[in-house]
Amino acid sequence: MKAIGYEDYQGPRLTRQEQLARMHRVIENELTEKQRRAVLGYYVDKKTMPELAREFGVCKSTVCRTIQRAEKRLRRCLRY
């Protein structure tokens, strides 16, 4: 039996479509409504943090913190 070198193993590869579908599911199911609106506004709609802050009626640091928490949750959920 041939020995398998695990240092070269890169895990199962997902297609771009599968990756995007998985990310959309995680965004819809794992983030709060506020986090979802902030992440989509910042990354999809290309709004700035001050624009989002005015839209939400909060300060810029609150928007920044909300996006950071959402990113942390996304990383944790998409890791596996």
Side-chain angles (χ1 to χ4, degrees), residues 20-36:
L20 288 174
R22 187 170 176 221
M23 180 164 307
H24 285 292
R25 279 193 308 271
V26 170
I27 287 172
E28 289 298 319
N29 298 324
E30 298 295 329
L31 298 183
T32 65
E33 180 62 30
K34 186 188 291 186
Q35 289 174 337
R36 187 177 311 118

Side-chain angles (χ1 to χ4, degrees), residues 34 49-64 66:
K34 186 188 291 186
M49 286 191 194
E51 289 173 340
L52 289 170
R54 270 185 258 111
E55 185 178 311
F56 297 155
V58 296
C59 64
K60 186 179 91 169
S61 63
T62 302
V63 172
C64 182
T66 301

Side-chain angles (χ1 to χ4, degrees), residues 1-3 6 12 17 23-25 27 29-30 40 48 55 59-61 64-68 70-71 73-74 76:
M1 180 175 245
K2 183 178 177 184
Y6 287 101
Q17 297 264 338
M23 180 164 307
H24 285 292
R25 279 193 308 271
I27 287 172
N29 298 324
E30 298 295 329
L40 292 176
T48 63
E55 185 178 311
C59 64
K60 186 179 91 169
S61 63
C64 182
R65 221 174 21 254
T66 301
I67 291 173
Q68 287 175 342
E71 289 171 342
R73 183 176 265 180
L74 283 171
R76 187 181 46 206

